[in-house]
Amino acid sequence: HCISQWGPSFRPEYEDLARLRQVFPSVPIAAFTATADEVTRADIRDRMFGERCHVFVQGFDRPNIRLAVEPKRSWKKQLLEVLAEHKGDNGIVYCLSRAKTEDAAGYLRDNGFRAMAYHAGMDAEDREAAQSAFMTEPDLVIVATIAFGMGIDKPDVRFVAHADLPGSIEAYYQEIGRAGRDGL
């Protein structure tokens, strides 16, 4: 996804990964993604490898993940209801805007939850501190834009909630896939 969807707008450096074949011609190179659809896989293949590659696709089923969708009524109240079911758990709440992450994190703190905002508008030190806290501390909720998640492999994330709909079903699947990596 970094190469296909996020490179040009999120981190342009990812597009440079395609040069790896030229820089290291005798080194095997692999690209992995857990959630890319067929179009995205083809784009990654074309950008990274051309026709010189093998593509392997496994199943996407995560039987330990339960999905629930509700009409949006009062998103803050609904968010508190979700978090009440997960008191003491690590989790991620996704919002579409930087301002909403700050608002939601403050609201959760005001209602007794340990919550931190994370978005691309924060300075690097604050983003790193929030990510480090999330990876090492129990009972923490990160309220984030899609800027949070790349490289996050925390096994005991117990919930992912969306205050706003993601941009696509693939983005939704990718975001919810950050939960339950330990099989629980």
Side-chain angles (χ1 to χ4, degrees), residues 30 32 39 44 70 77 80 97 106-107 123-124 145 170 180 182:
F32 297 91
V39 171
I44 293 167
E70 292 185 21
K77 181 180 176 192
L80 285 181
S97 74
Y107 180 74
D123 63 46
T145 62
E170 290 81 15
D182 59 0

Tab-separated table of all heavy atoms in Angstrom, residues 30 32 39 44 70 77 80 97 106-107 123-124 145 170 180 182:
chain	number	residue	atom	x	y	z
A	30	ALA	N	11.204	-8.854	-1.777
A	30	ALA	CA	9.816	-9.274	-1.601
A	30	ALA	C	8.994	-8.093	-1.102
A	30	ALA	O	9.512	-7.213	-0.417
A	30	ALA	CB	9.729	-10.418	-0.601
A	32	PHE	N	5.188	-7.348	0.828
A	32	PHE	CA	4.105	-8.014	1.547
A	32	PHE	C	3.004	-7.025	1.898
A	32	PHE	O	3.279	-5.887	2.256
A	32	PHE	CB	4.627	-8.630	2.857
A	32	PHE	CG	5.649	-9.694	2.646
A	32	PHE	CD1	6.991	-9.383	2.616
A	32	PHE	CD2	5.270	-11.011	2.460
A	32	PHE	CE1	7.956	-10.351	2.414
A	32	PHE	CE2	6.214	-11.993	2.252
A	32	PHE	CZ	7.564	-11.668	2.232
A	39	VAL	N	-6.363	-4.885	-7.728
A	39	VAL	CA	-5.832	-3.715	-8.435
A	39	VAL	C	-4.569	-3.197	-7.746
A	39	VAL	O	-3.568	-2.894	-8.393
A	39	VAL	CB	-6.912	-2.605	-8.529
A	39	VAL	CG1	-6.327	-1.313	-9.056
A	39	VAL	CG2	-8.072	-3.066	-9.396
A	44	ILE	N	1.403	-2.642	-7.258
A	44	ILE	CA	2.642	-2.905	-6.517
A	44	ILE	C	3.581	-3.758	-7.368
A	44	ILE	O	4.772	-3.457	-7.493
A	44	ILE	CB	2.344	-3.596	-5.168
A	44	ILE	CG1	1.583	-2.648	-4.232
A	44	ILE	CG2	3.642	-4.091	-4.512
A	44	ILE	CD1	0.970	-3.326	-3.020
A	70	GLU	N	-23.096	0.502	13.406
A	70	GLU	CA	-24.302	1.175	13.872
A	70	GLU	C	-24.462	2.495	13.126
A	70	GLU	O	-23.459	3.127	12.785
A	70	GLU	CB	-24.204	1.500	15.366
A	70	GLU	CG	-24.216	0.308	16.268
A	70	GLU	CD	-24.228	0.721	17.738
A	70	GLU	OE1	-24.624	1.872	18.045
A	70	GLU	OE2	-23.843	-0.095	18.567
A	77	LYS	N	-21.076	9.837	22.276
A	77	LYS	CA	-21.765	8.914	23.193
A	77	LYS	C	-21.562	7.470	22.728
A	77	LYS	O	-21.289	6.580	23.536
A	77	LYS	CB	-23.251	9.252	23.252
A	77	LYS	CG	-24.025	8.367	24.192
A	77	LYS	CD	-25.496	8.731	24.234
A	77	LYS	CE	-26.218	7.743	25.125
A	77	LYS	NZ	-27.652	7.836	25.006
A	80	LEU	N	-18.103	6.276	23.644
A	80	LEU	CA	-18.014	5.909	25.063
A	80	LEU	C	-18.619	4.531	25.317
A	80	LEU	O	-18.095	3.755	26.118
A	80	LEU	CB	-18.703	6.947	25.942
A	80	LEU	CG	-17.978	8.262	26.158
A	80	LEU	CD1	-18.795	9.175	27.070
A	80	LEU	CD2	-16.583	8.046	26.731
A	97	SER	N	-10.116	13.574	10.601
A	97	SER	CA	-9.394	14.851	10.650
A	97	SER	C	-8.510	14.932	11.884
A	97	SER	O	-8.770	14.302	12.913
A	97	SER	CB	-10.375	16.024	10.644
A	97	SER	OG	-11.015	16.135	11.898
A	106	GLY	N	-9.360	14.218	23.892
A	106	GLY	CA	-9.688	15.029	25.063
A	106	GLY	C	-10.998	14.593	25.713
A	106	GLY	O	-11.098	14.499	26.938
A	107	TYR	N	-11.983	14.317	24.884
A	107	TYR	CA	-13.272	13.857	25.390
A	107	TYR	C	-13.134	12.529	26.130
A	107	TYR	O	-13.709	12.349	27.212
A	107	TYR	CB	-14.251	13.722	24.215
A	107	TYR	CG	-15.625	13.245	24.609
A	107	TYR	CD1	-16.522	14.087	25.257
A	107	TYR	CD2	-16.022	11.936	24.330
A	107	TYR	CE1	-17.790	13.651	25.610
A	107	TYR	CE2	-17.286	11.493	24.677
A	107	TYR	CZ	-18.162	12.351	25.326
A	107	TYR	OH	-19.408	11.905	25.683
A	123	ASP	N	4.245	17.300	15.961
A	123	ASP	CA	5.678	17.236	15.672
A	123	ASP	C	6.164	15.804	15.897
A	123	ASP	O	5.526	15.004	16.582
A	123	ASP	CB	6.484	18.276	16.452
A	123	ASP	CG	6.441	18.100	17.956
A	123	ASP	OD1	6.601	16.972	18.439
A	123	ASP	OD2	6.269	19.117	18.653
A	124	ALA	N	7.273	15.481	15.272
A	124	ALA	CA	7.776	14.107	15.254
A	124	ALA	C	7.995	13.563	16.654
A	124	ALA	O	7.721	12.377	16.920
A	124	ALA	CB	9.070	14.034	14.440
A	145	THR	N	-5.600	9.624	13.009
A	145	THR	CA	-5.924	9.606	11.593
A	145	THR	C	-5.220	8.394	10.998
A	145	THR	O	-4.517	7.656	11.701
A	145	THR	CB	-5.419	10.891	10.905
A	145	THR	OG1	-3.994	10.938	11.035
A	145	THR	CG2	-6.056	12.134	11.496
A	170	GLU	N	-11.160	-1.474	1.569
A	170	GLU	CA	-9.808	-1.979	1.802
A	170	GLU	C	-9.158	-1.250	2.976
A	170	GLU	O	-8.493	-1.869	3.815
A	170	GLU	CB	-8.940	-1.838	0.543
A	170	GLU	CG	-9.327	-2.769	-0.574
A	170	GLU	CD	-10.510	-2.273	-1.401
A	170	GLU	OE1	-10.864	-1.079	-1.307
A	170	GLU	OE2	-11.092	-3.079	-2.142
A	180	GLY	N	-6.337	-7.748	17.447
A	180	GLY	CA	-6.342	-9.204	17.631
A	180	GLY	C	-5.247	-9.969	16.927
A	180	GLY	O	-5.438	-11.125	16.555
A	182	ASP	N	-2.832	-11.328	18.146
A	182	ASP	CA	-2.422	-12.465	18.975
A	182	ASP	C	-3.441	-13.599	18.922
A	182	ASP	O	-3.327	-14.583	19.620
A	182	ASP	CB	-2.184	-12.031	20.423
A	182	ASP	CG	-3.427	-11.409	21.063
A	182	ASP	OD1	-4.498	-11.302	20.403
A	182	ASP	OD2	-3.328	-10.998	22.228
